[in-house]
């Protein structure tokens, strides 16, 4: 058998010289990594090879299960933690728990089958349903027999990641709304078909005549069938129109409601008195087409809010409580939200600090990049304040809880964000402007028609005015924007750009100033070896291996930079970690040191904007490493795109190091504001918005208020939940060029919307004179309305082509 | 032609039934996941397929481990 080039499980290329195989249906299949191998083996062992036969997409790359991760999953079993996302239900007199999990890695319906099948073998699992559209699983299980962590582990074993998540506030609302719109649409559709059938029969009357009694009968039937459409299906339009009138604005729903109610009432009157024209089919079809447009728009929004909900993981925030700061033996792990002021907690290196507090004992470096944007850890000692959300890097701390819940610094920032959201400036959108002109024109034309015809033929005046209302019916006009936005949103979704707010597509092209956060947005937000110099007979790789081996004993973000480059393990003895200085150990009976110049005793130290650390062996300098936060490869491209399109750029960062100037210089960013607090960031942007239309892109908690206040805000999926919550757009993946794609798409969308509006107005300019002269019978009105709507929809569909 | 006085009301009754059925389908979440159900039939299920989707409140038959023979 020839060697397979691609992994059987995930489809990625197999690295040469590896050999991971799994027997699947008596054929040995090659895999690319131990992760995929383990997952495939689990699938085979569970007798689920059917998955491989029916899947339509390759799976995601399998991940090896790390014991740490599995331990973390166990935190989800704690009752206090489960309160947030688990509901208890009574079913057949059994107490069961139910929850919805977000599942990562679902690529096709076969995945859903695989997960369900795999989990059904767990004793105590009562119900599971995996939804492939939402990438979620609803589970119901018996807490007595089964733990939630076992369920999560079961899903991980077959190569998916599942976790509880926080439902976006909008989502439940959209889901409910989509359902009610679907019902309204179904009713309108079925009734429209019937009404149309009788309408066709009535058209025959124009050409060949019909007996009077049948005409009456058909009209009455149409009247009856159109009534639920008007009363039930078209409700949202009246409500929106009423809301618009109350807020003294003009929206598209006002002319819609006028046309609908006017035409229906007049047709009803005509039916009862037995003279005049009836437009029941126009009314029903109009409602149906509009609802279709609205439903598509809603579904696109719902999809976006669901996708962004899935990104908001609920991580169990735990704290280690101690009764007495002098006795560390008595510890208990409890959910962080149950802590009260005055209690003492231990925070180990690498853990996130769960509350605002004061350091009682210990000294450590603390990374506060989430709050300040500064990615170099700050060293803090006794009595220094620490904040919830920051990460303890180097050594164990004992902290006295000072503030919990709503009083923490993070809560203040969220509060600032909410306020900014309320005062967010709006950019006028085209559809509203169009609507305003349209309503004015419609009312003027209709009244003029009525007045003129009152002089010419008083008995005709009312019916001709009605035909004007129906003919100019703003169907195409009101479909112009929603259809275009929906197609654009769907297209962007495919590219990994989630649009949470619909106005974005119309406002992005008016943006003339983009404000960037630095750490984690323009840069990757983690340390990387940028420059290494060697001074001895030790080779480059040997130096890196030595440094990496030492760094294994540190939780500092620097250690990751070395870890990636380590090739060989080296035996070191007596490793000592000196927080804030460096690490030392015994190697070949000599003292090996890695750290600052002073700690290593290096005299002529290198000047650099970056962090420089040295490696010495018994005072002999082996190497110097320059570490820094690396720029994202896509950053220069997006900045040149901005310059090319005359968009100003500003960097707004909490970081105070010289690094900011350097990044600005490299990327030729014109303005820089550094060392600013979230509050100052917000003030800066509000000042800027007096003259410019501003887009903010960021990822941290400290960016959240600014993002809420900017005209348009963009968050990276790798960012914090708080930032993602306040953003209008979320970019999945690391590629900043998606901003350019968004900008281009926004331009195309606006163009299409304009085309649609021009067409809708053009159609009205042709039909109005005919209607005014009384040449528009019902069948022409329906024909014109349907054709103009179809043209608008087809034009919008062009956006789906990339 | 007077037959239409009877036929059309009957047709309207049918439409009403259709609307009621459609409402029921929407309410019981049958439009939530349209990609999946078409593929379900391809899998060798030795278990009765689960209901398409059900509310967490409604009744649901417990699948005992003894039913699983795969």
């Amino acid at each position: 058998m020839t060697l397979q080039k691609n992994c059987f499980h995930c489809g990625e290329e197999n690295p040469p010289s590896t050999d991971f195989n799994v027997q699947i249906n008596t054929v040995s299949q090659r895999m690319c990594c131990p992760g995929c191998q383990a997952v495939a083996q689990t699938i085979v062992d569970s007798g689920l090879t059917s998955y491989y036969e029916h899947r339509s997409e390759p799976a995601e790359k399998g991940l090896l299960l790390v014991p740490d991760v599995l331990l973390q999953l166990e935190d989800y079993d704690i009752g206090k933690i489960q309160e947030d996302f688990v509901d208890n239900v009574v079913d057949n007199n059994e107490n069961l728990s139910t929850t919805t999990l977000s599942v990562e890695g679902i690529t096709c319906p076969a995945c859903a089958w695989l997960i369900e099948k795999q989990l059904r073998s767990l004793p105590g699992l009562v119900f599971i349903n995996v939804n492939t559209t939402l990438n979620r699983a609803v589970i119901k299980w018996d807490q007595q027999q089964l733990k939630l962590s076992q369920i999560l582990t079961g899903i991980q074993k077959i190569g998916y990641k599942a976790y509880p998540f926080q439902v976006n506030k909008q989502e439940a609302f959209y889901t409910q709304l989509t359902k009610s719109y679907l019902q309204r649409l179904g009713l309108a559709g079925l009734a429209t078909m019937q009404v149309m059938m009788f309408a066709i029969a009535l058209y025959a009357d124009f050409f060949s005549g019909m007996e009077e009694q049948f005409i009456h009968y058909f009209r009455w039937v149409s009247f009856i069938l159109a009534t639920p459409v008007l009363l039930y299906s078209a409700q949202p339009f009246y409500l929106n129109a009423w809301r618009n009138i109350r807020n003294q604005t003009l929206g598209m729903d006002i002319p819609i409601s006028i046309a609908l109610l006017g035409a229906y009432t007049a047709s009803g009157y005509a039916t009862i008195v037995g003279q005049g024209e009836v437009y029941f089919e126009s009314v029903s079809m109009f409602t149906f087409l509009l609802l279709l447009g609205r439903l598509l728009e809603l579904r696109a929004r719902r999809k976006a809010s669901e996708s962004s909900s899935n990104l908001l993981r609920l991580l169990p925030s735990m704290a280690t409580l101690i009764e007495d700061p002098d006795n560390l033996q008595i510890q208990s792990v409890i959910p962080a939200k149950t802590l009260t002021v005055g209690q003492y907690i231990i925070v180990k290196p690498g853990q996130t600090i769960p509350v605002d507090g004061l350091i009682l004992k210990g000294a450590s470096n603390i990374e506060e990049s989430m709050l300040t944007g500064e990615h170099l850890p700050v060293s803090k000692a006794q009595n220094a304040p620490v904040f919830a959300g920051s990460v303890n890097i180097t050594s164990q701390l004992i902290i006295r809880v000072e503030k919990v819940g709503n009083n923490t610094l993070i809560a203040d920032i969220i509060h600032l964000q909410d306020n900014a959201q309320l005062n967010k400036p709006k950019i006028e959108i085209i559809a509203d402007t169009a609507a305003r002109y349209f309503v004015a024109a419609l009312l003027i034309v209709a009244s003029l028609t009525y007045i003129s015809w009152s002089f010419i033929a008083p008995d005709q005046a009312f019916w001709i005015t009605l035909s004007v209302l129906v003919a100019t019916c703003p169907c195409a006009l009101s479909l112009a924007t929603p259809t275009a936005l929906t197609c654009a949103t769907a297209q962007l979704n495919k590219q990994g750009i989630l649009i949470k707010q619909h106005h974005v597509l119309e406002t992005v092209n008016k943006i003339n100033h983009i404000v960037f956060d630095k750490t984690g947005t323009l840069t990757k937000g983690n340390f990387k070896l940028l420059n290494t110099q060697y001074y001895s007979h030790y080779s480059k790789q040997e130096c890196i291996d030595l440094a990496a081996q030492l760094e294994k004993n540190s939780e500092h973000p620097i250690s990751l930079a070395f870890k990636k480059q380590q090739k060989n393990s080296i035996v070191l003895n007596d490793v000592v970690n000196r927080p804030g200085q460096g690490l030392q150990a015994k190697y070949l009976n000599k003292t090996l040191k890695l750290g600052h110049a002073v700690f290593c005793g290096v005299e002529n130290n290198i000047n650099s904007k970056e962090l420089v650390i040295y490696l010495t062996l018994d005072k002999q300098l082996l190497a110097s490493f320059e570490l820094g936060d690396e720029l994202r490869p896509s950053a220069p491209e997006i900045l040149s795109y901005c310059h090319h399109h005359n968009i100003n750029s500003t960097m707004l960062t909490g970081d105070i190091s010289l690094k900011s100037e350097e990044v600005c210089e490299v990327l030729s960013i014109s303005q820089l504001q550094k060392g600013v607090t979230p509050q100052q960031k917000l003030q800066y942007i509000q000042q800027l918005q007096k003259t410019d239309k501003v887009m903010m892109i960021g990822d941290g908690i400290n960016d959240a208020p600014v993002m809420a206040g900017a005209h348009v805000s963009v968050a990276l999926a790798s960012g914090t939940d708080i930032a993602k919550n306040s953003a209008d757009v979320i970019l999945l993946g690391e590629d900043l060029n998606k901003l350019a794609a968004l900008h281009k798409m926004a331009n195309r969308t606006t163009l299409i919307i304009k085309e649609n509006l021009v067409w809708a107005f053009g159609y009205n300019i042709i039909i109005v004179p005919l209607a005014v002269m009384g040449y528009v019978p019902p069948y022409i009105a329906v024909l014109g309305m349907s054709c103009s709507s179809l043209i608008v929809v087809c034009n919008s569909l062009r956006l789906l082509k990339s | 032609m007077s037959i239409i006085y009877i036929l059309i009301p009957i047709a309207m009754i049918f439409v009403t039934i259709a609307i009621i059925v459609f409402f029921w389908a929407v309410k019981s979440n049958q439009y939530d996941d349209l990609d999946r159900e078409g593929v379900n039939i391809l899998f060798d299920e030795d278990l009765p397929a689960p209901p398409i989707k059900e509310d967490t409140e409604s009744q649901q038959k417990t699948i005992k481990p003894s039913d699983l023979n795969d």
Side-chain angles (χ1 to χ4, degrees):
Chain A
M1 182 182 151
T2 53
L3 273 185
Q4 291 158 322
K5 258 188 68 176
N6 295 67
C7 174
F8 183 77
H9 183 73
C10 74
E12 285 189 19
E13 210 165 305
N14 285 327
S17 76
T18 55
D19 189 27
F20 303 109
N21 286 302
V22 178
Q23 285 279 8
I24 298 173
N25 297 342
T26 70
V27 180
S28 171
Q29 305 284 7
R30 194 160 167 239
M31 309 278 165
C32 65
C33 62
C36 284
Q37 188 187 23
V39 169
Q41 195 59 56
T42 310
I43 292 173
V44 172
D45 294 347
S46 317
L48 301 174
T49 44
S50 203
Y51 162 77
Y52 288 112
E53 289 162 41
H54 298 303
R55 65 178 181 174
S56 51
E57 302 280 337
E60 294 236 325
K61 204 177 169 88
L63 291 170
L64 271 182
L65 292 184
V66 197
D68 289 3
V69 176
L70 294 182
L71 271 179
Q72 263 180 349
L73 289 181
E74 286 182 8
D75 288 343
Y76 284 121
D77 295 334
I78 298 163
K80 277 280 182 194
I81 294 282
Q82 287 195 357
E83 271 176 10
D84 288 342
F85 57 88
V86 173
D87 295 322
N88 292 319
V89 287
V90 178
D91 193 6
N92 291 347
N93 300 326
E94 285 180 275
N95 282 327
L96 298 174
S97 303
T98 177
T99 188
T100 307
L101 302 170
S102 165
V103 187
E104 262 179 30
I106 293 183
T107 52
C108 67
C111 298
W113 173 84
L114 183 65
I115 295 168
E116 287 185 7
K117 232 17 203 167
Q118 168 77 4
L119 290 193
R120 282 210 186 106
S121 59
L122 294 173
L125 191 94
V126 175
F127 171 78
I128 170 150
N129 177 284
V130 178
N131 183 324
T132 50
T133 323
L134 302 180
N135 296 342
R136 288 185 193 166
V138 178
I139 49 172
K140 213 189 274 189
W141 76 104
D142 180 359
Q143 297 267 24
Q144 306 292 327
Q145 299 178 55
L146 187 66
K147 287 194 177 122
L148 181 59
S149 58
Q150 291 171 300
I151 298 173
L152 298 178
T153 314
I155 296 178
Q156 290 226 335
K157 271 192 194 149
I158 44 170
Y160 303 94
K161 275 208 281 254
Y163 43 84
F165 64 100
Q166 191 184 345
V167 176
N168 186 324
K169 274 181 290 211
Q170 298 166 319
E171 191 196 314
F173 168 73
Y174 279 138
T175 308
Q176 200 41 49
L177 211 58
T178 318
K179 268 193 180 176
S180 79
Y181 265 82
L182 191 59
Q183 288 185 346
R184 290 178 204 279
L185 182 79
L187 186 136
L190 285 163
T192 303
M193 285 185 229
Q194 302 299 309
V195 176
M196 207 64 222
M197 215 159 57
F198 299 114
I200 299 274
L202 286 172
Y203 300 156
D205 174 50
F206 282 103
F207 305 108
S208 57
M210 198 193 287
E211 285 170 53
E212 192 71 25
Q213 53 174 355
F214 288 130
I215 292 180
H216 273 297
Y217 181 51
F218 286 154
R219 285 185 168 190
W220 271 105
V221 173
S222 309
F223 186 20
I224 293 167
L225 284 165
T227 304
V229 177
L230 250 286
L231 295 184
Y232 174 72
S233 294
Q235 251 177 32
F237 306 127
Y238 314 141
L239 292 175
N240 280 337
W242 176 238
R243 206 172 298 136
N244 280 340
I245 292 168
R246 258 208 338 234
N247 299 337
Q248 303 188 339
T249 54
L250 280 176
M252 216 55 234
D253 288 313
I254 294 173
I256 291 173
S257 303
I258 294 174
L260 277 178
L261 291 171
Y264 174 78
T265 318
S267 308
Y269 173 74
T271 307
I272 294 164
V273 300
Q275 57 168 336
E277 297 288 5
V278 294
Y279 293 94
F280 290 122
E281 76 282 24
S282 300
V283 170
S284 318
M285 187 178 315
F286 179 33
T287 311
F288 175 73
L289 287 173
L290 281 185
L291 278 171
L292 193 62
R294 297 272 162 108
L295 181 71
L296 288 173
E297 189 185 357
L298 261 179
R299 277 183 45 164
R301 283 197 213 179
R302 177 184 163 184
K303 180 103 191 101
S305 67
E306 278 162 354
S307 310
S308 61
S309 283
N310 282 350
L311 293 173
L312 303 179
R313 296 182 179 204
L314 280 175
L315 294 171
S317 169
M318 307 299 292
T320 314
L321 184 73
I322 44 173
E323 294 301 320
D324 173 11
D326 300 319
N327 178 6
L328 301 185
Q329 301 310 315
I330 309 166
Q331 297 186 353
S332 53
V333 178
I334 59 161
K337 58 178 187 179
T338 59
L339 286 172
T340 54
V341 175
Q343 287 183 313
Y344 301 103
I345 54 168
I346 290 188
V347 182
K348 296 191 177 72
Q351 288 186 332
T352 303
I353 297 170
V355 288
D356 287 9
L358 288 177
I359 298 179
L360 193 77
K361 276 188 189 170
S364 174
N365 287 347
I366 294 180
E367 204 229 346
E368 296 185 332
S369 69
M370 294 183 52
L371 304 165
T372 60
E374 173 106 52
H375 60 277
L376 264 180
V378 191
S379 63
K380 292 197 170 183
Q382 203 167 349
N383 290 332
V386 289
F387 304 103
S390 52
V391 183
N392 180 17
I393 301 286
T394 36
S395 56
Q396 182 169 291
L397 292 174
I398 294 173
I399 292 169
R400 182 176 184 275
V401 180
E402 293 292 333
K403 286 175 177 172
V404 288
N406 280 334
N407 304 320
T408 54
L409 189 64
I410 284 200
D412 286 347
I413 293 178
I414 293 175
H415 187 67
L416 193 64
Q417 170 196 323
D418 291 343
N419 280 344
Q421 195 89 48
L422 292 175
N423 304 322
K424 196 179 181 119
K426 294 252 185 307
I427 301 181
E428 172 93 324
I429 50 179
I430 314 170
D432 292 351
T433 329
R436 206 171 315 140
Y437 286 115
F438 187 83
V439 179
L442 178 82
L443 295 175
I444 291 166
V445 169
S447 7
L448 283 178
T449 311
Y450 187 78
I451 294 163
S452 347
W453 277 96
S454 318
F455 293 112
I456 306 163
D459 57 332
Q460 287 287 313
F462 178 73
W463 302 113
I464 288 174
T465 312
L466 174 64
S467 81
V468 168
L469 270 183
V470 176
T472 57
C473 151
C475 193
L477 204 57
S478 36
L479 284 173
T481 317
T483 51
L485 292 184
T486 305
C487 295
T489 308
Q491 179 60 27
L492 287 172
N493 241 337
K494 278 186 211 150
Q495 299 176 30
I497 303 168
L498 302 180
I499 307 283
K500 278 169 64 186
Q501 296 290 344
H502 248 41
H503 70 82
V504 168
L505 282 164
E506 294 187 73
T507 48
V508 165
N509 51 25
K510 295 201 175 94
I511 295 292
N512 57 5
H513 202 130
I514 301 187
V515 178
F516 294 92
D517 166 53
K518 180 174 72 86
T519 316
T521 305
L522 288 173
T523 65
K524 287 187 175 171
N526 49 26
F527 282 95
K528 193 165 187 283
L529 270 179
L530 300 175
N531 244 321
T532 324
Q533 287 176 350
Y534 310 95
Y535 307 97
S536 69
H537 63 276
Y538 281 94
S539 74
K540 175 180 174 182
Q541 193 56 51
E542 280 172 321
C543 289
I544 288 177
D545 288 344
L546 282 171
Q549 194 66 38
L550 268 172
E551 283 288 356
K552 276 196 172 163
N553 300 290
S554 154
E555 293 276 355
H556 200 283
I558 289 176
S559 59
L560 287 175
F562 286 104
K563 192 176 162 184
K564 283 180 196 150
Q565 308 227 7
Q566 185 175 16
K567 290 237 165 69
N568 315 301
S569 290
I570 297 168
V571 181
L572 299 176
N573 303 319
D574 313 334
V575 182
V576 184
N577 184 355
R578 305 255 161 114
Q581 298 181 52
L583 295 133
Q584 71 180 60
K586 283 273 180 254
Y587 172 59
L588 308 176
N589 287 330
K590 292 178 181 169
T591 310
L592 182 73
K593 285 188 174 182
L594 177 75
H596 290 303
V598 181
F599 174 72
C600 294
V602 178
E603 275 148 27
N604 47 353
N605 50 357
I606 301 165
N607 261 330
S608 163
K609 292 192 191 72
E610 309 291 354
L611 181 74
V612 183
I613 57 171
Y614 301 88
L615 183 70
T616 56
L617 192 60
D618 269 356
K619 298 275 162 73
Q620 183 207 3
L621 183 61
L622 300 187
S624 66
F625 303 102
E626 219 175 327
L627 294 132
D629 188 2
E630 196 191 18
L631 273 186
R632 286 187 195 277
S634 51
E637 294 173 52
I638 187 69
L639 261 301
S640 72
Y641 180 88
C642 289
H643 299 316
H644 196 76
H645 287 78
N646 292 329
I647 300 170
N648 288 325
S649 49
T650 299
M651 193 204 285
L652 195 60
T653 175
D655 194 352
I656 43 177
S657 68
L658 291 169
K659 176 84 185 173
S660 312
E661 274 89 350
E662 190 201 6
V663 172
C664 277
E665 203 173 324
V666 171
L667 299 175
S668 53
I669 293 177
S670 42
Q671 294 160 56
L672 169 68
Q673 290 282 323
K674 63 177 199 174
V676 275
T677 62
Q679 181 86 41
Q680 290 165 322
K681 278 189 171 191
L682 183 60
Q683 283 162 350
Y684 174 80
I685 211 162
Q686 282 168 342
Q687 193 56 40
L688 203 60
Q689 283 179 319
K690 287 179 181 156
T691 52
D692 290 6
K693 300 275 185 284
V694 180
M695 173 162 34
M696 169 80 200
I697 166 156
D699 70 323
I701 292 176
N702 58 337
D703 303 318
V706 201
M707 288 166 83
H711 285 120
V712 177
S713 54
V714 181
L716 296 173
S718 57
T720 53
D721 288 353
I722 296 174
K724 280 185 283 200
N725 247 335
S726 65
D728 302 326
V729 182
I730 299 176
L731 304 182
L732 301 177
E734 305 233 309
D735 189 5
L736 290 174
N737 283 323
K738 285 185 175 150
L739 278 182
L742 173 68
H743 189 251
K744 284 178 193 152
M745 188 52 128
N747 281 332
R748 274 180 64 199
T749 310
T750 312
L751 189 70
I752 294 260
I753 290 176
K754 281 182 181 158
E755 283 170 12
N756 287 348
L757 293 175
V758 165
W759 162 251
F761 274 114
Y763 157 78
N764 275 318
I765 286 166
I766 297 165
I767 199 98
V768 166
L770 293 175
V772 169
M773 289 188 277
Y775 291 139
V776 178
Y779 65 94
I780 296 280
V782 164
L783 201 69
M785 191 181 77
S786 324
C787 287
S788 65
S789 306
L790 280 177
I791 287 174
V792 164
V793 171
C794 291
N795 190 34
S796 294
L797 286 174
R798 285 167 42 205
L799 285 169
L800 285 177
K801 298 193 192 83
S802 40
Chain B
M1 267 307 273
S2 51
I3 188 72
I4 61 169
Y5 288 113
I6 298 164
L7 285 180
I8 289 176
I10 292 176
M12 284 162 84
I13 290 168
F14 274 111
V15 171
T16 314
I17 293 169
I19 289 173
I20 291 167
V21 170
F22 177 75
F23 275 31
W24 165 81
V26 172
K27 282 209 173 89
S28 53
N29 299 334
Q30 299 198 21
Y31 286 86
D32 277 11
D33 189 2
L34 298 172
D35 319 347
R36 190 163 157 219
E37 302 309 328
V39 186
N40 252 358
I41 194 163
L42 297 173
F43 292 107
D44 316 323
E45 286 281 0
D46 33 13
L47 287 166
I52 290 169
K53 180 106 189 208
E54 48 113 284
D55 289 344
T56 40
E57 288 82 26
S58 70
Q59 300 277 309
Q60 158 73 40
K61 191 175 146 269
T62 310
I63 296 158
K64 289 192 233 36
S66 58
D67 294 350
L68 292 140
N69 43 10
D70 49 328

